[in-house]
Amino acid sequence: MSETHKTFLHVVSIAQTILDGEKVKSKITPALIAEKVDLAMGLVAGSKSVEFDRQAAISELIRRFSLWIGQDSTLHDEEGHEPWLVSSRKKDWRYWQRYQAFVERKMSTTAVDALNKSTDRILAFLEDPNREGAWDRRGLVVGHVQSGKTGNYSGLVCKAADAGYKIIIVLAGLHNNLRSQTQIRLEESFLGYETSFAGEFGQPVGVGEIDTDSKIQPNCATTRADKGDFTTKVAKHLAISPEQRPWLFVVKKNKTVLERLLKWIRSHVADATDSASNRRFVSNLPLLLIDDEADHASVDTGEQLFNPDGTPDDEHQPKAINSRIRRILHSFAKSAYVGYTATPFANIFIHRRNETTEEGPDLFPQSFIINLAAPSNYVGPARVFGLNSADGRVGGLPLIRDISDHVSKDGSGGWMPPQHNKEHIPLYEGLDALPPSMREAIGAFVLACAARTCRGQDSEHSSMLIHVTRLNLVQKEVYRQVEEVVKRMRQRITRGVDHEALITELHSLWDNDFLPTCVEITSLLPEDECHTLTPTWEQILAVLPDVLSDIDVRMINGTAKDALDYAEHQGKGLKIIAIGGDKLSRGLTLEGLCVSYFVRTSKMYDTLMQMGRWFGYRPGYIDLCRLYTTAELVEWFGHIADASEELREEFDAMVESGGTPKDYGLKVQSHPILMVTSPLKMRTAETLLLSYSGNLVQTVALFRDPAILRRNLDATNQLLVAMGEPFERGITRARDGNPDEWKRSFLWNSVGANLITDFLTSFSTHPKASRANSAVLAEFVDKMVKAGELTSWTVALLGEGHATKPYAFANGLEIVAWPSRTDTKVEGSYSIGVLTDPSDEAIDLDYPAWKKALDWTLLEWKPDPARNRLTEPTRPGGKKIRDVRGLGRDDIKAAPERGVLLLYPLNPEGAGESVSSIWSEPIMAFAISFPSSNSTVKVAYKVDHLLWEQEYGPAD
C-alpha cells in the first residue's frame, strides 16, 4: 500500500472517530466534516508532505455518515439448539477486536455496527463450541451479489475463533484465482500475515498490523500462491495442535482437494470410531465450515430415492463435491455449516430428508436462513434495471447501452453469435475487428478512468469486464483483438500521431453520453452517492496519455495472479480490462468495475445473477459506469429481479408468521418461476411440481402471428358471450385518498370455473411466457376446483388506456380506450414489462379488505435500498392482496374460491409497425391473481433437459 493511501486512510479514520463523538448526528454537516478533516491532517505526520487529496477525504466521510442499513431478517429452527452467546462470552475476543479496528479504516461506524450485529446473530444460531456431546447446525446466509459477503464471513470466522471453534474450513469457489483472492482477504481480516508457505508466518498484513501479538496468530494450512491449496506435501508434514490456536484451511471445491483434506482429517485428527459403521471421527474439536457461493457445485444434483417407509435410500451416491463436503462434516461430532450465497434457490431445493450412512444429512439449511440487509449505497438489480410497471421498467439508472452489432442481422453469425463452438473466429462484417459497440465500450472505460483521475480517485482500482463467451479459445481471440485496439489507442494518443479522429470520437462520446448521464444521475441519487465534480473535456484530454499507458488487458484464466495484483497494488490504482467466461461468473471481485460488455446468453436465475459483476458499491463514480448488453438480457434481468422480489416478500411473510427454513423450502419448491435455477439443482430430473396459489401470473410475452392473435381474440369473445351481462359497468372502489376507478371497464362476479378452464384451454400462450402456460394453468384450476377452491371467479375486461377507435366484442361490449404496452424489442415475441397496473389486482376488494391488505403490507415492510424500497407504501402489495383474499384476516372472511381473471385488449401499435400494419384488432393478454391457499394441490410441469439447456443455457 502506498504512503499516500495509508495517510489518506489514517486521516479519514481519525476524522471519523472525532465525528463519532458528536451526540447529535444531525449536526454532522459537510462543513463540520471538512473542519475535522483539517484537524486530522494536522495530527497525522506526513499528511502535508505527501500528495493528499483533502476533498476526497471529505467526500468519503460525507458518504460514510449518510449511510444507513436496513434490518436483517431470519427464519430459524431452535430444535436441538441451546442458546449460549451472551456478553460475558465476548469480553476477551481479540480476533474480532482487531478485525473491527481494521474495517473501521474503510467503513462507516454504521456499517461496522451492522456487521457486528449480523455476525453475532449468525454465531448465536450456531452451537457453543464448548458444548459437550455431539451437535450439528446448518444455516444459510443470503446476501446480494457483490454486496460484501466475504467481509461478513470474515467477521464470523474471527468471532468463531474467539469463541473456541478450532478448525475453520472455507470453501472458496472452483478456481485458483477465487481461492487465492479469498485467502488474501482472510490474511488481512483473520490471519494477520502473508502466507507464502504453509505453516509459516510471513509479513504482517491487515489485522496483523493492528495487533502484533504473535501468541494469537492463527495457523493456516494453505497459502495465497496459485498452487497454495491443501496439497499432499502439506498433508504429510502437517502436525496439528488446534487446542492452542485455531487452524484455517482455504480450499477449492475440487474433488481431489476435498478428498485429500478428508483423508487427512480421518488419519491425523480423528480420535474416535463409530461402532456401528466403523467410521473414524473427531470427537473433541469443533468445526466451522463456511461454504462461499454455496449454491455452486455444493448441491447434490442426483435424484435420491426413498424407501416405502419414507426413509432415504442408503444406496444413493451423492455427486462428488457434495459428497466430500458432507463427509467432512460427518467426520466431526461437533460441526457447524454456514453457506453464503446471493442466489439461494438451489440450496432451498435440497431435500430435507436426504441422508446416507457415509455422508450423513444433506446440506439443507435446516437451522436458519438469514437475509442480509444491504446498505443504502448498494447498487443492485433494482437500481440498475428499475422495477416493473405497466409503463415499462421505471426507476433504473441510465447506465445501460443497448448492443446488437455483435451478431449478424439474422442472428446466425457475426462477431459473437449465441451458438458458437470453440473454433469460432470472431469477425465483424467479415473482418478481423471488434464491433463498433465494443470499441465504444473500450472508449467509455478510458474516459471513466480519466474522469476518476480528475476526481482524485487515481489511487483506486478501475476495471472493465468483457464477458462474451465461455470458451477459452474464443476468449483468446477476443483478447488479441482488444489488446490490439488498446495498443493502437495508446500509441496514437501518447505519441500524438494520427490521433485526431480518435480524439474527436472520444470527445463526442464524452459530450453526448457522459456529460448528460452525469447530470441525470446527480438528479436521481442523493448527494452523498454522487461526485460533485464533472471534469471538463480539457481536463480529460490532459490525463488521457497517462491513463492509456496504465491500462492492462488481461484474460482471466483461473490463476492466482488475477487476484493477487489488486492486493499488491493497493493504493496505486490498477486499470484492468478483464476478458473471461466462467472464471468471472462466480465470486471473483473486479475492483472498481466501471464498464461491462456482456452478451452471455444463459437465462437461469442464479447463473445470470452471479454473472452480474456490475452490482456492488460505486462510491463517487456510479455516474461513470456503463453496462453494454442486449435488450433480451435486460428483459431477463428484469424477470429475475422481479422473481427475487417475490421470493424475498415470501421470506418476509414467513419471518412475520414465525416460519422455519423447512416451511420456506416447501413454499419455494412449488413456486412457478421456472427459470430460477437448473432443474438438475431442483432435484427433479423430469418434473417440476408447481402451485400457483398466492401468485400473480401474467402474459408478458405475446405472439405476433395474426392467426394466433385471431384464435386468442376468439377465445376471449367466447368467454364474454358465455358470461352474459356484466355485473358492473364503470367501476369505482373507495380507497385512502382518492378512489380507484375503471370508468371504461366491465366486471363479472361468480363466474364458474368451467368457463375459466375453457378459456385457458382455447388460449395460446407464448412459449417465452414460461410462467403463464395456459395448459398448465387450466390443469391447476381444475385440480383446485376438485379440492373445493377456485370455484367462483371475478373477471374484468379492462379498457383503461388512451382513447382510440371503438372496438365491439361479440357480446356487444365496446372498448374505446385500449390499454397500451410497449414492446421491449426482444427477438421472437411481442414482449412487455408488466401487464397489470398495481391497482388492477385489487379490483374485487372493497375498502375494508383493501385497507387490511395495506395494513398487512405496512406491518412487514422495511426499507431496503437493494430492492428500491425507500418510502413507505401507500397501496397494498400484490402478495398481501392475494393473502387477504384467500386466507382472510381478522374480520375479513377468507375466500379461497375466488380467483381473479383480468383481460387486457392491448393496442397493437404498442407491438410496433411490423404487427400493427397487419393486425388492427386488440391483442388479447390476460393476468390471473390466484388467492393464497393452504391447499397442497400442485400441478406437474414436465421438463425436457435438452430443450431447457437450449433455451436457458447449461447448468454451471
Short mmCIF file of all heavy atoms in Angstrom, two decimals, residues 497-523:
data_model
loop_
_atom_site.label_atom_id
_atom_site.label_comp_id
_atom_site.label_asym_id
_atom_site.label_seq_id
_atom_site.Cartn_x
_atom_site.Cartn_y
_atom_site.Cartn_z
N VAL A 497 0.35 11.03 -32.86
CA VAL A 497 0.46 10.75 -34.29
C VAL A 497 -0.84 10.09 -34.76
O VAL A 497 -1.30 9.12 -34.17
CB VAL A 497 1.64 9.79 -34.57
CG1 VAL A 497 1.69 9.44 -36.06
CG2 VAL A 497 2.95 10.42 -34.12
N ASP A 498 -1.45 10.66 -35.81
CA ASP A 498 -2.68 10.10 -36.38
C ASP A 498 -3.76 9.94 -35.30
O ASP A 498 -4.48 8.95 -35.25
CB ASP A 498 -2.37 8.75 -37.02
CG ASP A 498 -3.54 8.22 -37.87
OD1 ASP A 498 -4.33 9.05 -38.35
OD2 ASP A 498 -3.66 6.99 -38.01
N HIS A 499 -3.85 10.95 -34.45
CA HIS A 499 -4.74 10.84 -33.30
C HIS A 499 -6.00 11.70 -33.40
O HIS A 499 -6.88 11.58 -32.54
CB HIS A 499 -3.98 11.24 -32.03
CG HIS A 499 -3.52 12.67 -32.05
ND1 HIS A 499 -2.61 13.14 -32.95
CD2 HIS A 499 -3.89 13.73 -31.28
CE1 HIS A 499 -2.41 14.43 -32.73
NE2 HIS A 499 -3.19 14.82 -31.74
N GLU A 500 -6.09 12.53 -34.41
CA GLU A 500 -7.20 13.49 -34.47
C GLU A 500 -8.57 12.82 -34.49
O GLU A 500 -9.48 13.21 -33.75
CB GLU A 500 -7.06 14.40 -35.70
CG GLU A 500 -5.86 15.34 -35.67
CD GLU A 500 -4.59 14.68 -36.16
OE1 GLU A 500 -4.63 13.47 -36.49
OE2 GLU A 500 -3.53 15.36 -36.22
N ALA A 501 -8.72 11.79 -35.34
CA ALA A 501 -10.02 11.12 -35.44
C ALA A 501 -10.40 10.44 -34.13
O ALA A 501 -11.56 10.48 -33.70
CB ALA A 501 -9.99 10.09 -36.58
N LEU A 502 -9.42 9.83 -33.46
CA LEU A 502 -9.68 9.17 -32.18
C LEU A 502 -10.08 10.18 -31.12
O LEU A 502 -11.01 9.96 -30.35
CB LEU A 502 -8.44 8.38 -31.74
CG LEU A 502 -8.52 7.68 -30.38
CD1 LEU A 502 -9.70 6.71 -30.32
CD2 LEU A 502 -7.21 6.95 -30.07
N ILE A 503 -9.37 11.31 -31.07
CA ILE A 503 -9.71 12.37 -30.11
C ILE A 503 -11.13 12.87 -30.35
O ILE A 503 -11.92 13.07 -29.41
CB ILE A 503 -8.71 13.54 -30.20
CG1 ILE A 503 -7.31 13.09 -29.71
CG2 ILE A 503 -9.19 14.73 -29.39
CD1 ILE A 503 -7.24 12.77 -28.24
N THR A 504 -11.47 13.07 -31.62
CA THR A 504 -12.83 13.53 -31.97
C THR A 504 -13.88 12.51 -31.51
O THR A 504 -14.95 12.87 -30.97
CB THR A 504 -12.95 13.75 -33.48
OG1 THR A 504 -11.98 14.75 -33.88
CG2 THR A 504 -14.34 14.22 -33.87
N GLU A 505 -13.59 11.23 -31.72
CA GLU A 505 -14.50 10.16 -31.33
C GLU A 505 -14.72 10.15 -29.82
O GLU A 505 -15.86 10.07 -29.33
CB GLU A 505 -13.91 8.83 -31.79
CG GLU A 505 -14.80 7.62 -31.64
CD GLU A 505 -14.09 6.35 -32.16
OE1 GLU A 505 -13.50 6.39 -33.25
OE2 GLU A 505 -14.13 5.34 -31.43
N LEU A 506 -13.64 10.26 -29.04
CA LEU A 506 -13.74 10.25 -27.59
C LEU A 506 -14.42 11.53 -27.08
O LEU A 506 -15.22 11.48 -26.13
CB LEU A 506 -12.35 10.11 -26.95
CG LEU A 506 -11.66 8.76 -27.14
CD1 LEU A 506 -10.23 8.80 -26.64
CD2 LEU A 506 -12.43 7.65 -26.42
N HIS A 507 -14.12 12.65 -27.72
CA HIS A 507 -14.74 13.92 -27.34
C HIS A 507 -16.25 13.84 -27.52
O HIS A 507 -17.04 14.29 -26.67
CB HIS A 507 -14.14 15.06 -28.18
CG HIS A 507 -14.49 16.42 -27.65
ND1 HIS A 507 -14.01 17.59 -28.20
CD2 HIS A 507 -15.30 16.80 -26.63
CE1 HIS A 507 -14.49 18.62 -27.54
NE2 HIS A 507 -15.28 18.18 -26.58
N SER A 508 -16.67 13.25 -28.64
CA SER A 508 -18.10 13.12 -28.92
C SER A 508 -18.77 12.21 -27.88
O SER A 508 -19.88 12.50 -27.40
CB SER A 508 -18.30 12.53 -30.33
OG SER A 508 -19.67 12.27 -30.58
N LEU A 509 -18.10 11.10 -27.51
CA LEU A 509 -18.65 10.19 -26.51
C LEU A 509 -18.77 10.90 -25.16
O LEU A 509 -19.76 10.72 -24.43
CB LEU A 509 -17.76 8.95 -26.39
CG LEU A 509 -18.23 7.82 -25.46
CD1 LEU A 509 -19.59 7.29 -25.89
CD2 LEU A 509 -17.20 6.69 -25.42
N TRP A 510 -17.81 11.73 -24.82
CA TRP A 510 -17.84 12.48 -23.56
C TRP A 510 -19.01 13.48 -23.55
O TRP A 510 -19.79 13.53 -22.60
CB TRP A 510 -16.52 13.20 -23.34
CG TRP A 510 -16.51 14.01 -22.08
CD1 TRP A 510 -16.63 15.36 -21.95
CD2 TRP A 510 -16.39 13.49 -20.74
NE1 TRP A 510 -16.60 15.72 -20.62
CE2 TRP A 510 -16.45 14.59 -19.86
CE3 TRP A 510 -16.25 12.21 -20.21
CZ2 TRP A 510 -16.37 14.45 -18.47
CZ3 TRP A 510 -16.16 12.07 -18.83
CH2 TRP A 510 -16.22 13.18 -17.97
N ASP A 511 -19.12 14.24 -24.63
CA ASP A 511 -20.15 15.29 -24.69
C ASP A 511 -21.57 14.71 -24.80
O ASP A 511 -22.50 15.21 -24.17
CB ASP A 511 -19.90 16.22 -25.88
CG ASP A 511 -18.77 17.21 -25.61
OD1 ASP A 511 -18.30 17.27 -24.45
OD2 ASP A 511 -18.35 17.90 -26.55
N ASN A 512 -21.72 13.67 -25.61
CA ASN A 512 -23.06 13.17 -25.92
C ASN A 512 -23.55 12.09 -24.97
O ASN A 512 -24.75 11.81 -24.92
CB ASN A 512 -23.10 12.64 -27.36
CG ASN A 512 -22.82 13.72 -28.37
OD1 ASN A 512 -23.20 14.88 -28.18
ND2 ASN A 512 -22.11 13.36 -29.44
N ASP A 513 -22.63 11.45 -24.25
CA ASP A 513 -23.02 10.38 -23.35
C ASP A 513 -22.70 10.72 -21.90
O ASP A 513 -23.58 10.84 -21.05
CB ASP A 513 -22.32 9.08 -23.75
CG ASP A 513 -22.79 7.87 -22.95
OD1 ASP A 513 -23.08 8.02 -21.74
OD2 ASP A 513 -22.87 6.76 -23.50
N PHE A 514 -21.43 10.97 -21.60
CA PHE A 514 -21.02 11.12 -20.21
C PHE A 514 -21.58 12.39 -19.56
O PHE A 514 -22.11 12.32 -18.44
CB PHE A 514 -19.49 11.10 -20.10
CG PHE A 514 -18.93 9.70 -20.07
CD1 PHE A 514 -18.76 8.98 -21.24
CD2 PHE A 514 -18.59 9.09 -18.87
CE1 PHE A 514 -18.27 7.69 -21.22
CE2 PHE A 514 -18.10 7.79 -18.84
CZ PHE A 514 -17.93 7.08 -20.02
N LEU A 515 -21.49 13.51 -20.21
CA LEU A 515 -21.97 14.75 -19.59
C LEU A 515 -23.46 14.69 -19.25
O LEU A 515 -23.84 14.97 -18.11
CB LEU A 515 -21.66 15.95 -20.49
CG LEU A 515 -20.19 16.37 -20.57
CD1 LEU A 515 -20.03 17.59 -21.47
CD2 LEU A 515 -19.63 16.68 -19.18
N PRO A 516 -24.34 14.34 -20.21
CA PRO A 516 -25.77 14.27 -19.84
C PRO A 516 -26.08 13.19 -18.81
O PRO A 516 -26.95 13.37 -17.96
CB PRO A 516 -26.48 13.99 -21.17
CG PRO A 516 -25.43 13.49 -22.11
CD PRO A 516 -24.15 14.11 -21.66
N THR A 517 -25.35 12.06 -18.85
CA THR A 517 -25.60 10.99 -17.88
C THR A 517 -25.20 11.42 -16.48
O THR A 517 -25.89 11.14 -15.50
CB THR A 517 -24.85 9.71 -18.28
OG1 THR A 517 -25.26 9.31 -19.59
CG2 THR A 517 -25.13 8.58 -17.31
N CYS A 518 -24.06 12.12 -16.36
CA CYS A 518 -23.63 12.63 -15.06
C CYS A 518 -24.68 13.55 -14.46
O CYS A 518 -25.01 13.47 -13.28
CB CYS A 518 -22.29 13.37 -15.18
SG CYS A 518 -20.87 12.30 -15.53
N VAL A 519 -25.23 14.44 -15.31
CA VAL A 519 -26.25 15.38 -14.84
C VAL A 519 -27.51 14.63 -14.40
O VAL A 519 -28.08 14.90 -13.33
CB VAL A 519 -26.60 16.40 -15.95
CG1 VAL A 519 -27.81 17.23 -15.56
CG2 VAL A 519 -25.40 17.29 -16.24
N GLU A 520 -27.94 13.65 -15.21
CA GLU A 520 -29.16 12.92 -14.89
C GLU A 520 -29.03 12.11 -13.61
O GLU A 520 -29.93 12.10 -12.76
CB GLU A 520 -29.54 12.00 -16.06
CG GLU A 520 -30.88 11.31 -15.87
CD GLU A 520 -31.29 10.46 -17.07
OE1 GLU A 520 -30.58 10.46 -18.10
OE2 GLU A 520 -32.35 9.79 -16.97
N ILE A 521 -27.90 11.43 -13.43
CA ILE A 521 -27.72 10.60 -12.25
C ILE A 521 -27.61 11.47 -11.00
O ILE A 521 -28.11 11.11 -9.93
CB ILE A 521 -26.50 9.67 -12.42
CG1 ILE A 521 -26.86 8.57 -13.41
CG2 ILE A 521 -26.05 9.08 -11.09
CD1 ILE A 521 -25.79 7.55 -13.65
N THR A 522 -26.98 12.62 -11.13
CA THR A 522 -26.89 13.55 -9.99
C THR A 522 -28.29 13.95 -9.52
O THR A 522 -28.54 14.13 -8.33
CB THR A 522 -26.08 14.80 -10.37
OG1 THR A 522 -24.76 14.39 -10.77
CG2 THR A 522 -25.96 15.76 -9.20
N SER A 523 -29.22 14.06 -10.48
CA SER A 523 -30.59 14.44 -10.11
C SER A 523 -31.38 13.27 -9.52
O SER A 523 -32.37 13.49 -8.83
CB SER A 523 -31.33 14.98 -11.35
OG SER A 523 -31.59 13.94 -12.28
#
